[in-house]
Amino acid sequence: AEVRKKALANGTTQQGSVDHPTLSDPKSLFPAAFEFSDELGPIPKGWDARKLSEVATVTKGKSYKSSELQSSTTALVTLKSFNRGGGYRLDGLKEYTGTYKPEQVVESGDLIISYTDVTQAADVIGKPAMVIPDERYGKLVISLDVGVVRPNGPNLKHFLYQLARTKRFEDWMLSHTSGTTVLHLSKNAFPSFECAFPDEELISEFQKIVSPLFERTVQNVKESRALIKLRDTLLPKLISGDLRISEAEQLTEEALT
């Protein structure tokens, strides 16, 4: 408890070895009144009504052939990389040997949007996810079913991700969807979405709080993969008696440090 008190006094917590900045007075960053916007109606005073085309660009992914899905250190981020309802799936990658453009390469933390859906309830179309790296591959490339959102500002990525998880955004995406068996999202759906944007100070504070949470998620995934690999290596040796439990514990500790 004493450690937590000191951490809070310094603006951080020490859970899971990740610092979580806290605002001394969050209310001071929010306006105390509303003003009328012709585009959106009442919005917080001082905020701006903007279309997403003003703050970010979207690049569609690579069309590929089945013959190009062969063993490779490059992998495609595909429609299967999205959970139903949004979020990133770790098992959706496809190894890929074809060509691609530099702008179709994605990295850890990049925001992606699904442009196609084959679920009956439209659970994936227009949903967001943030790319989690996979150490098995040197490059990750988005497929044609996926678009990568690249913000114009340095602190917008997590803000746009949370915005894309709102009900209003979801409804907008669905209203710009066509198709029956296979759903397709209009290329103008994301750029034409309009919302109220806070000032840079508030977005920056939001980024400081949220980005360590994503970094911890990535670290947890890495540790989980390391443990799985270690389990598959050590378990047969433990069963056969070639390795003692104390030795296995030491190897596990070394793998996670």
Side-chain angles (χ1 to χ4, degrees):
E2 187 63 30
V3 170
R4 181 171 176 80
K5 288 180 181 178
K6 292 180 180 180
L8 288 173
N10 294 328
T12 61
T13 61
Q14 297 184 353
Q15 183 177 358
S17 72
V18 176
D19 293 335
H20 301 279
T22 58
L23 298 175
S24 57
D25 185 13
K27 292 182 293 184
S28 65
L29 296 177
F30 289 88
F34 287 86
E35 59 187 7
F36 188 82
S37 162
D38 292 336
E39 300 85 359
L40 300 174
I43 63 173
K45 189 175 182 179
W47 291 26
D48 295 322
R50 301 183 195 173
K51 291 183 178 180
L52 294 185
S53 59
E54 300 177 49
V55 299
T57 58
V58 181
T59 301
K60 289 292 294 296
K62 172 70 179 178
S63 176
Y64 61 92
K65 302 175 183 177
S66 57
S67 59
E68 296 171 325
L69 300 178
Q70 300 181 32
S71 179
S72 175
T73 56
T74 297
L76 286 173
V77 177
T78 69
L79 190 60
K80 292 184 178 180
S81 299
F82 291 84
N83 286 313
R84 289 176 179 245
Y88 192 77
R89 277 185 59 176
L90 299 173
D91 58 352
L93 300 177
K94 295 181 180 179
E95 295 186 357
Y96 176 67
T97 58
T99 60
Y100 51 86
K101 297 178 181 179
E103 58 266 29
Q104 293 169 329
V105 175
V106 291
E107 300 179 349
S108 176
D110 277 349
L111 173 60
I112 55 176
I113 297 286
S114 169
Y115 269 76
T116 309
D117 196 345
V118 294
T119 65
Q120 294 297 316
D123 290 328
V124 176
I125 193 77
K127 297 299 190 297
M130 297 192 79
V131 176
I132 294 177
D134 192 319
E135 62 276 4
R136 296 174 298 175
Y137 303 109
K139 287 186 179 179
L140 297 179
V141 179
I142 53 172
S143 73
L144 187 62
D145 299 318
V146 181
V148 57
V149 177
R150 292 196 165 94
N152 300 336
N155 296 318
L156 283 172
K157 192 176 297 182
H158 289 281
F159 177 83
L160 291 177
Y161 174 68
Q162 296 300 331
L163 175 65
R165 296 184 66 90
T166 62
K167 184 65 166 57
R168 182 168 173 267
F169 183 90
E170 178 183 338
D171 291 342
W172 180 265
M173 294 291 108
L174 288 176
S175 71
H176 288 73
T177 296
S178 61
T180 52
T181 304
V182 179
L183 301 177
H184 297 280
L185 186 66
S186 166
K187 66 178 181 179
N188 295 321
F190 183 91
S192 61
F193 182 77
E194 197 164 10
C195 68
F197 275 78
D199 60 29
E200 180 60 33
E201 184 181 4
L202 183 54
I203 291 179
S204 177
E205 291 294 342
F206 179 78
Q207 173 78 3
K208 290 177 184 177
I209 293 172
V210 175
S211 58
L213 301 179
F214 177 78
E215 292 168 6
R216 184 57 192 168
T217 297
V218 173
Q219 184 61 34
N220 286 342
V221 169
K222 289 181 179 179
E223 291 179 1
S224 178
R225 286 173 174 163
L227 287 172
I228 291 172
K229 185 177 181 180
L230 199 61
R231 177 200 65 193
D232 295 342
T233 301
L234 298 182
L235 191 58
K237 294 182 180 181
L238 284 169
I239 294 175
S240 64
D242 294 336
L243 190 68
R244 296 182 178 180
I245 293 178
S246 58
E247 294 172 329
E249 290 175 343
Q250 181 178 353
L251 290 172
T252 301
E253 184 177 347
E254 291 173 355
L256 295 178
T257 57

